Amino acid sequence: MAKLAIAGGEPVRKKPFDPWPVYTEAERSALDDVLTNRNWGGQPFPGKHGDAFAKTFAEFHTAKYGQCVNTGTVAIQAALKAVGIQPGDEVLVPAYTWEGTVGPVLLVNAVPVFVDVDPETYCMDAKLIEQAITPKTRAILPVHLGMRFADLDAIMSIAQKHNLKVVEDCAHVHGGMWRGKGAGSIGDLGAFSFQSSKLITCGEGGCVITGNLEYFERVQSYINTGRASVTDKFKHRMIGFNYRLGEFQAAVLGPQLERLPAQAKIRQANFDYFESRLRNTRGLGFLRPEPRITRTAPYSYVLKYFAGQMKDIPRAAFVAALQLEGIPCDGLFYEPVYRSSLFPVNPAEYPALSWGREKPLDLRNMYRCPASECAAYHEAVWFPHYLFLGSKEDIDSIADAIFKTLENIEELRSLDHPAIRSQQLSRADRES
Ligand SMILES: Cc1ncc(COP(=O)(O)O)c(C=O)c1O
């Protein structure tokens, strides 16, 4: 008689986890305020809710200025424009990330240069940055991925040495702190996303933060159809676009930010308990602890699964089995962007890939980043952050499901199941 739910047994958990996003009367009354005020757009600029939120959000991350925008992708694009990235410039990006980190680089007709990640943190490997720098390099775009930060100490010192700008992709790290300073406030600018799965969400949205007034003014103009910024001290004029965030979306961000510190504490306590249960388990590993992260605000709990220690049962089967035990999780959550089906880059559309070269850069085939490929295709297991907002019993159910799966791993050998087949595909290629 099979024990694993995927093979016909009883699942560890039948009750769903509490749903995400969380909302209360605070969101409802903020939405009602927008409705009745009839000021629904991001114009006049910035709207009351968007303005108040951006200021508090920047302050919360120890930055001076904040500007809401309509997505995280646009936040990165606006930040790249703010630091003056020009067509043909090179921007260093980690290979293992969401495609939305890299798309904005191409959109400003710059060239993304992929750098592998540190196998112990899954964030851009600072040791590999200098070898990727060329005379055309202008910026580094590290991502604080999953539950860790890229090594900002090393990155900032390399940036200073080579006169490069740093834009932090903070889509995963709302409220996170590195040595007491907020995510996004250490580089030249930080770009956040408020898309549905994020730690603070309004469905779709984003924010750029910075300590530099000139950058802030450029961001404001760029995302507000080129109009003068509110302060307009530097008098920059540029072609801009309507990338404003509407007030309905901005309104729900305030209450979510207020809730974030208490949620961060709950998640941290649950992470600690989770790790105490899983420590020294054959087949599993943790990312390297990072004492310089002084406030954890992770997008996901990221665990390592070692198939080699588990009779070569692949991660896809392990993850699918956990899912059937009632635990939402994912293996092939991200992949090296250069291999992703969401990155069908055509040099004809991005002319900088051809400039000054006999043949255009073939971004899909010119890189091999072993740590990114190992994380993406073999090792990483992502558990969404909202699982860790619950009780100790919730955490026990995750750990119990993991132990049950590992103990009965042999039941997965040669098993054919739609959940396993789905796990073998990248997210974009799955049915649901
Ligand atoms: C690491 C990373 N960068 C950028 C983005 C882009 O954000 P958005 O989806 O809001 O455009 C996301 C999220 O979706 C992300 O996870």
Side-chain angles (χ1 to χ4, degrees):
M1 171 83 178
K3 291 207 181 103
L4 294 180
I6 197 168
E10 281 294 301
V12 166
R13 190 181 168 106
K14 293 185 180 144
K15 196 174 113 210
F17 287 85
D18 287 345
W20 182 260
V22 173
Y23 67 87
T24 66
E25 278 308 308
E27 274 86 351
R28 206 184 292 279
S29 88
L31 286 170
D32 192 57
D33 180 63
V34 178
L35 189 72
T36 50
N37 275 326
R38 292 197 164 81
N39 188 1
W40 296 356
Q43 189 70 24
F45 182 79
K48 172 177 108 176
H49 287 275
D51 190 34
F53 171 78
K55 284 189 172 123
T56 318
F57 190 71
E59 213 173 284
F60 188 67
H61 292 91
T62 67
K64 243 176 159 167
Y65 309 103
Q67 177 57 52
C68 290
V69 296
N70 60 355
T71 66
T73 310
V74 158
I76 295 171
Q77 189 184 329
L80 294 173
K81 287 301 283 187
V83 295
I85 297 301
Q86 296 293 310
D89 289 350
E90 291 178 3
V91 178
L92 307 189
V93 293
Y96 186 50
T97 181
W98 174 238
E99 290 76 3
T101 306
V102 184
V105 178
L106 289 168
L107 255 180
V108 299
N109 200 16
V111 177
V113 173
F114 291 105
V115 176
D116 204 359
V117 296
D118 179 337
E120 298 300 327
T121 64
Y122 293 164
C123 295
M124 183 188 261
D125 191 340
K127 293 188 295 303
L128 303 178
I129 291 178
E130 283 197 294
Q131 68 198 53
I133 293 174
T134 74
K136 291 186 174 174
T137 311
R138 292 286 170 274
I140 311 175
L141 177 38
V143 182
H144 306 312
L145 194 87
M147 61 190 295
R148 290 288 182 262
F149 272 63
D151 184 345
L152 282 174
D153 298 351
I155 289 173
M156 293 312 292
S157 91
I158 294 168
Q160 204 170 22
K161 179 170 157 202
H162 296 271
N163 193 22
L164 305 176
K165 304 296 181 193
V166 175
V167 172
E168 297 174 60
D169 180 342
C170 302
H172 291 184
V173 73
H174 310 69
M177 290 222 164
W178 177 264
R179 294 204 289 113
K181 292 198 75 186
S185 72
I186 297 171
D188 292 279
L189 299 106
F192 290 82
S193 160
F194 303 130
Q195 172 269 343
S196 307
S197 67
K198 302 302 189 295
L199 291 162
I200 292 180
T201 178
C202 58
E204 305 293 350
C207 192
V208 186
I209 64 170
T210 181
N212 180 310
L213 182 61
E214 189 171 3
Y215 294 158
F216 174 66
E217 290 192 349
R218 285 208 193 125
V219 168
Q220 276 210 328
S221 291
Y222 185 63
I223 65 105
N224 187 26
T225 57
R227 290 183 172 93
S229 67
V230 170
T231 42
D232 201 27
K233 182 164 170 234
F234 291 88
K235 308 277 176 224
H236 288 300
R237 292 295 175 268
M238 67 205 302
I239 292 184
F241 302 91
N242 179 358
Y243 291 145
R244 299 184 295 259
L245 185 73
E247 279 285 273
F248 284 110
Q249 276 144 315
V252 298
L253 291 171
Q256 304 223 358
L257 181 56
E258 275 177 34
R259 223 172 274 133
L260 188 66
Q263 290 175 331
K265 272 198 191 141
I266 296 170
R267 281 195 197 95
Q268 183 64 64
N270 279 334
F271 279 8
D272 293 345
Y273 177 59
F274 187 55
E275 291 192 348
S276 77
R277 284 213 53 195
L278 297 184
R279 191 159 286 119
N280 302 324
T281 301
R282 186 173 170 76
L284 301 181
F286 299 145
L287 296 180
R288 186 176 58 222
E290 177 49 87
R292 291 172 294 179
I293 300 176
T294 47
R295 182 166 62 202
T296 311
Y299 176 58
S300 284
Y301 188 91
V302 183
L303 195 63
K304 291 181 173 188
Y305 170 74
F306 302 124
Q309 296 176 12
M310 281 292 123
K311 306 178 179 179
D312 290 327
I313 299 296
R315 182 192 58 186
F318 172 70
V319 167
L322 279 181
Q323 291 171 339
L324 273 280
E325 296 298 335
I327 311 300
C329 58
D330 202 350
L332 192 40
F333 184 66
Y334 289 145
E335 56 190 318
V337 173
Y338 55 80
R339 276 181 66 174
S340 162
S341 58
L342 296 182
F343 195 69
V345 57
N346 173 2
E349 293 174 52
Y350 304 102
L353 299 180
S354 308
W355 290 345
R357 304 170 208 277
E358 268 176 36
K359 278 210 246 153
L361 291 172
D362 180 4
L363 294 181
R364 284 189 69 79
N365 294 300
M366 61 188 274
Y367 288 97
R368 277 293 158 264
C369 295
S372 297
E373 301 201 1
C374 177
Y377 300 113
H378 302 292
E379 213 175 67
V381 182
W382 293 65
F383 297 89
H385 60 81
Y386 65 85
L387 307 192
F388 295 86
L389 280 181
S391 62
K392 188 162 172 273
E393 288 69 39
D394 285 328
I395 308 309
D396 278 326
S397 71
I398 309 172
D400 291 346
I402 291 174
F403 286 129
K404 181 183 166 192
T405 306
L406 293 176
E407 279 157 20
N408 297 284
I409 202 92
E410 204 46 59
E411 287 182 17
L412 298 174
R413 188 172 303 284
S414 312
L415 189 70
D416 182 29
H417 190 282
I420 301 179
R421 274 179 264 132
S422 168
Q423 265 302 304
Q424 287 158 344
L425 301 172
S426 57
R427 275 198 295 163
D429 300 326
R430 294 179 198 158
E431 270 174 22
S432 57

